[in-house]
Amino acid sequence: MIEKIYTGNTLSKVKACCGDDVWLSFQEKTKTGILTSEMCYTMFKDTKEDFDFSAAVVPIMKGLELELKKVFYEPYYEYVTDNYDPKSYAQAICPSSDLEDKEKAKQVAVQKGKILYYKNGKFQFKRLSTEFSIGNFRYLTTHGDKKRIEIDEIFVEFCEKKLFAEQTIARKKIEKWVRELIINIEPLRKLRNDSAHAGKTQNSVDAFTVISDLIVTKKLLPVIVAPVESHYI
């Protein structure tokens, strides 16, 4: 078990932040990422020398990507491909678009690039991808407009029928939940990218921000894996 690798204080601290039930909901690799980041930050936060805190940023952000993929991308892909054909899905997410216009059709396919592609004048479903990044989340759930966040009707429908099938959650609440996730995740995406690229370094404030947002204050990881149980929706 992953718990055996880490100190009791680290594990207890993280479980206290997330809650025992939420902790059990995380994938094992997510648990590893959270604990690794917390330990790295705790060990080096007071160092006076130049130190790259990427090692405290990347593991927990990998956990975020894993949970976004498991909770949203994989089941949404299955829902879409089970209930729509490629063209009807494209038309439903962009009802005002003239999809006979090849350029507009290509734009829709690019926007929904984890689900659709457009070739030889036809929409087709892609295979389920093994990769899902933080940046993919916004484009999976919205029209992709950078100035305003408008959640796709089909994504809300998926949440109602699949994610919250055993509860009655108002559409406005679902939209608010997804919108707030996007707003809170977007700033972390840049930190994640900077941590992985040569020439970029992260400081202790960056590491604190990421860990705090994901499990301590905004609790984004609990919000994703257990929104009802954690009273976030």
Side-chain angles (χ1 to χ4, degrees):
M1 292 293 292
I2 186 64
E3 284 85 348
K4 293 181 180 180
I5 303 172
Y6 298 91
T7 66
N9 287 342
T10 301
L11 183 59
S12 297
K13 179 180 177 181
V14 169
K15 282 187 174 182
C17 290
C18 298
D20 287 343
D21 290 341
V22 172
W23 178 255
L24 292 174
S25 299
F26 291 139
Q27 298 170 68
E28 289 302 308
K29 288 183 179 179
T30 300
K31 294 177 183 178
T32 300
I34 294 170
L35 291 170
T36 301
S37 290
E38 175 62 31
M39 286 192 71
C40 286
Y41 173 71
T42 300
M43 288 175 66
F44 298 108
K45 64 180 180 179
D46 295 323
T47 183
K48 302 300 181 184
E49 303 296 329
D50 289 339
F51 187 83
D52 185 359
F53 279 83
S54 296
V57 172
V58 172
I60 195 170
M61 294 296 271
K62 286 182 179 178
L64 174 60
E65 291 177 336
L66 286 169
E67 299 303 337
L68 288 173
K69 180 183 177 185
K70 180 184 177 183
V71 175
F72 296 111
Y73 174 52
E74 292 177 340
Y76 183 53
Y77 177 92
E78 182 179 353
Y79 179 79
V80 168
T81 55
D82 283 350
N83 291 280
Y84 294 87
D85 62 70
K87 187 174 182 179
S88 66
Y89 171 65
Q91 192 67 71
I93 60 173
C94 294
S96 63
S97 296
D98 177 9
L99 297 183
E100 298 306 317
D101 181 324
K102 289 186 178 181
E103 290 307 312
K104 288 184 179 179
K106 287 178 183 177
Q107 289 174 11
V108 172
V110 168
Q111 177 191 324
K112 299 299 177 184
K114 286 294 177 180
I115 297 178
L116 288 176
Y117 69 96
Y118 186 77
K119 187 176 181 181
N120 298 327
K122 289 185 178 180
F123 285 103
Q124 298 179 53
F125 286 130
K126 280 188 171 180
R127 281 186 165 186
L128 186 68
S129 175
T130 58
E131 301 295 329
F132 190 80
S133 70
I134 296 167
N136 293 142
F137 180 60
R138 179 169 187 154
Y139 292 95
L140 185 76
T141 58
T142 74
H143 299 340
D145 191 325
K146 293 184 177 180
K147 294 183 179 179
R148 62 176 183 167
I149 299 173
E150 187 175 346
I151 313 302
D152 288 336
E153 284 292 316
I154 293 182
F155 192 81
V156 178
E157 176 187 297
F158 152 74
C159 291
E160 287 179 316
K161 294 183 178 180
K162 293 297 180 179
L163 291 189
F164 305 118
E166 297 180 2
Q167 296 91 17
T168 302
I169 309 293
R171 280 203 157 205
K172 286 187 177 180
K173 276 194 172 183
I174 293 173
E175 290 174 356
K176 181 175 182 287
W177 173 60
V178 179
R179 188 177 295 110
E180 288 183 352
L181 276 175
I182 293 168
I183 290 169
N184 288 317
I185 286 171
E186 278 291 293
L188 300 181
R189 179 173 59 84
K190 185 176 186 304
L191 286 174
R192 167 69 173 89
N193 292 342
D194 286 350
S195 296
H197 293 158
K200 301 281 187 178
T201 60
Q202 305 301 311
N203 58 39
S204 61
V205 174
D206 296 325
F208 175 81
T209 298
V210 168
I211 294 169
S212 179
D213 282 3
L214 290 180
I215 63 170
V216 182
T217 53
K218 295 180 181 178
K219 296 181 182 289
L220 295 178
L221 280 168
V223 169
I224 290 165
V225 302
V228 175
E229 294 84 347
S230 302
H231 308 291
Y232 291 111
I233 190 169

